[in-house]
Amino acid sequence: MSKPRDAKFPDKATLLAFIRAHPGKVGTREIAREYGLKNADRAELKRMLRELADGGSIRKSGRRKVSEPATLPPTLLADIVSRDADGELIATPSEWDEQDGDAPKILIHTPRRIKPGTAAGVGDRALLHVEAADSREAGPAYVGRVIRVLERGKARILGIFRALPQGGGRMVPVDKKQAGRELNIAAHDAGGAQDGDLVSVDLIRTRSFGLASGRVKERLGSLASEKAISLIAIHTHDIPQDFSSAAISESEAAQPATLSGREDWRELPLVTIDPPDAKDHDDAVHAAPDPDPNNKGGVILHVAIADVAYYVRPGSALDRDALRRGNSVYFPDRVVPMLPERISNDLCSLKPGQPRGALAVRMVIDAQGRKRSHSFHRVLMRSAAKLSYAQAQAAIDGKPDDVTGPLLETILKPLYDAYAVVKRGRDERDPLDLDLPERKIILKPDGTVDRVIVPERLDAHRLIEEFMILANVAAAEMLEKKALPLIYRVHDEPSVEKVHNLVDFLKTLDLSFAKGGALRPAQFNRILAMVKGEDSEPLVNEVVLRSQAQAEYSSENYGHFGLNLRRYAHFTSPIRRYADLVVHRALIRALDLGDGALPPSETTETLAEVAAQISLTERRAMKAERETVDRLIAHHLADRIGATFQGRVSGVTKAGLFVKLSDTGADGLIPIRSLGDEYYNYDETRHALIGSRSGAMHRLGDVVDVKLVEAAPVAGALRFELIGNANVEFTHRKTARKTKGTSKAKLKTESGKSARAKPGRAKARKAAKPKQKTKSGRGKR
């Protein structure tokens, strides 16, 4: 920053330029010093900053600091939340990282002639085209135009009906934010609801004192009879459950694929390797040494993917239903599929011994694990076996069973030999390598929680993931070569501000972050390797994770930072992801492989809308799955009030500490008021609450003992109290500056074999939610 000079009051454009040049580093004091503003001018400066913040042009960052918010993409999904003083509609992004401050406001421009499907109102969700507003004008930072209204506003509250002996009852809200705010339901307003029903309620009367009143609008199902906590999340997030009658008719009329127009791969011994409870098997693999003497030590990989495009044609009822869902949603007790079971679990599932249509890729890999060439084929295949990850691994580890024994020498060992080759290429690429253990809930027959486990991470998992990554890269490369539009899977590098915050945090641990040149995953891996085995390892892993953007779908390619790939597209799971189906159609069109091709009407612009929509449905699924797990575990712990647990601080906010329990992975809050009898300051850089008198520090990653004092099962909320002397400072052991070797934590990659993966583009996309993790793309089956 420059030295003070004679006062010259800056206009808003000048202010924004100065703030952009110093992200998260300036506030009123620094701006006043820069422009030589005195006391009288500071009041006007604060007023201008408030106007810019209210319009979303800037945001608060830490204490007294301001910065430019993350830039919005040109096409996004938004919720219309209000009207301004002139009656114009105001919207905010449907998904926004709370760490980036308040969501920017978008002023909706209403044309004189409104096209069908674009008339919007408060409460609606719409697809918008947005651009930055004139920074010289007060008001929202963006202006937008409605492309299409996707959902009409619904004035409703979801909750569980609890019947009272005298008639009527009370409605317990399912939203955590409304926990404790019950509604009174008179007998004549109950609409026939029974105790335990999930109901939609209209608020009909509020009171200054006592309970507000509501009327049951709709009975959505009984938790008691269906034993399904997931029912709450399904209705809360408007996840479609039922297929249209036209889609069902199309699926029932579908016939198995034949050899017509396909290559015959039925004698190639492809196998599927999946979780033991998988019902839809959409990928099969085969590997063999390359006989070409010019590729000594190389291998040939075959990856065959279910030919969903053969059955789900563009514009059909099945296609419309699939796009509306965007993806399958996986709960501990059920799956809400993207496609009807006739398609997903039968005709498209690569069942052993059954002829199935597939879109396959043949890849030649050299001895260093680099792909030399690839080709795509539309085939008829027949899976030689259906294996689980543990089953395949056990065979390689010397414990084959009746199924894997005959396959060991001819199929399984060549697959693992090929993985050893492919792994060399992965190690050379050096993708982001975080350690993210994934818990799985095991249910009892009655639908309640039996236990929570962390499945062992096997080479069988890594083998499939790496093969899928190679296939996904080949798909993106082929479509780029043919100059066809496609939907990329993208993951932007962390924003400048998040890197600055990470650097400041690492300094508190005497760790340095090398920032020279372009940002690469290897720079983060170096930090992770340095803290391997140290007390600070979980803390650093968590903070590095939170510095990352979230992967998303886009018609614009800006690479995949986490995987360290220049181009990447999801190709390997079309049964459960609409993005993969689009890629299949594009390949069929590019290579003239027959029916089900991407229509010429699909352009980069139209696919941008599809990408925005399915990015939203992906985040919707992630949130619904996470909330269901929270509710299940809260039910599981509800009868253990007063019990003590060990956990780790998973979040630090001005409201208190979030703690994740070690045994179940349950999250709960320790309110700041319960930490002690002194005032605690929130230190954003240290990710800590620090006692103003004692200096006691409670920090992200700390191991703590807590007592459960309250559980709200319907909302999935837990409240804890800290056990022990809160005024004793928790100190972290200093981290060694260097450690030998290159040991890395393990990140489940975007292979297409795991389900989720959280908006990319740090400067042009919204960043990830703190708890969300970049997953491999496969997930639970």
Side-chain angles (χ1 to χ4, degrees), residues 96 191 200 232 236 260 340 353 438 458 463 507 554 574 636 650 671 685:
W96 184 256
S200 171
I232 298 175
T236 300
S260 176
E438 187 175 0
L458 305 171
L463 177 154
K507 287 178 181 177
S554 172
H636 181 57
S650 60
T685 299

Side-chain angles (χ1 to χ4, degrees), residues 531-597:
V531 299
K532 188 71 175 177
E534 299 288 335
D535 290 347
S536 58
E537 180 183 2
L539 170 63
V540 174
N541 267 268
E542 185 68 27
V543 177
V544 168
L545 170 66
R546 296 183 184 204
S547 72
Q548 304 302 309
Q550 183 181 348
E552 66 170 352
Y553 295 108
S554 172
S555 62
E556 173 191 358
N557 182 33
Y558 52 88
H560 198 295
F561 178 79
L563 292 178
N564 200 13
L565 291 169
R566 295 173 60 186
R567 56 189 61 83
Y568 190 69
H570 272 170
F571 159 75
T572 54
S573 295
I575 289 178
R576 58 191 182 85
R577 290 189 310 225
Y578 193 83
D580 303 55
L581 177 56
V582 172
V583 170
H584 275 231
R585 289 171 174 169
L587 287 167
I588 293 169
R589 173 177 161 187
L591 302 172
D592 194 21
L593 295 177
D595 296 331

